[in-house]
Amino acid sequence: MTELLTEKAANQIVKGWQGHLNLSYAYRNDTTQIIHNEVQAPLKVQRPFYPEGKKVCHSVILHTAGGVVGGDSLSMNFQLEPDAKTLITTAAAGKIYRSSGLEARQTIEIKIAKDAYLEWLPQETIVFNGAIYRQDLRVELEPEASVLLWEITRFGRTARGERFVSGEWRSHVEVWQQGHPLWIDRQVVKGEEMLTSPHGLGGYPVLASLAWVGQPVTGEIVEKARLLWQNTPFFDEGKSGQIQLSAGVTRLTNGLLCRYRGSSTAAARRWLIGVWELLRLSGRDRAICLPRVWPN
């Protein structure tokens, strides 16, 4: 099987890929290390990188099949021991191909121990027209642990004029701490119905979210995150040529939530990077370090 599957060839695989990735991190000898690494194709992890020093481990996940198709079932488990600090991203944009009727699914389980934190920052996902996809992510935080999650999703290959008029995308996210829910998020996009609805995407093809959970934020941080959006030169423009505000910032019970809907993954990424840097400096007193696999 070649690394890069076409839609037609991929959907001929009835059973689909059953891949998994289990990673455990520990802070030992002043270094965050991977102490357990178990993989099954098509998932793979590159060797760890330390572009910001030994205390923060950067990991890059690869999907060697090139995309997800109906019938695929992928699972990832990340576990951080006390004081471990980890950033995990993906090597390239994810692709969810058109389905012949079977659902594709991805499940992520994360456990973060005391004084540890994880930044889960995958590159954007492109959901092809006709895709049927569900992703579930659950985080268990111990006291004084925290997590930063983001997701950038484009519905349809809009550069080719494709719209997401059929198919279904579901995202379920839960963050818990000692049996108490800190953030529960449910999102569903069903083709044209939610793509065009003013209560859904309002005609925009890009949806993005960032959640920082596990540490309280001040009203000042919320205001700064909003100003980051308002003061940047990459707003989306509507048909009238007027600037359209397509972002929002909310303070959670123990964290921060940012939302974007628009037409540009680059705009979403730049704003979320700005928020990430703001949170890093305020909560960790450490500047961000962009993963080397990200596009410039």
Side-chain angles (χ1 to χ4, degrees), residues 26 29 34 46 63 66 89 101 135 144 146 150 160 162-163 169 176 192 202 210 215 225 232 243 279 284-285:
N29 301 318
I34 296 178
Q46 294 182 355
H63 187 287
T89 188
Q135 57 186 21
E144 299 178 54
S146 60
W150 86 12
R160 298 187 180 186
E162 177 183 277
R163 290 174 57 81
W169 173 87
W176 293 75
E192 187 76 12
L210 178 150
Q215 291 187 358
T232 48
I243 291 175
L279 293 170
R284 299 291 174 186
D285 195 25

Side-chain angles (χ1 to χ4, degrees), residues 249-296:
V249 181
T250 303
R251 181 159 48 170
L252 301 175
T253 302
N254 203 20
L256 182 78
L257 174 64
C258 298
R259 298 281 203 197
Y260 166 92
R261 69 173 188 179
S263 59
S264 171
T265 54
R269 179 194 289 261
R270 283 193 290 267
W271 179 48
L272 296 187
I273 286 174
V275 175
W276 171 34
E277 182 168 37
L278 174 66
L279 293 170
R280 266 277 197 114
L281 290 173
S282 64
R284 299 291 174 186
D285 195 25
R286 176 188 287 271
I288 63 172
C289 179
L290 302 183
R292 67 181 191 177
V293 297
W294 285 6
N296 295 326

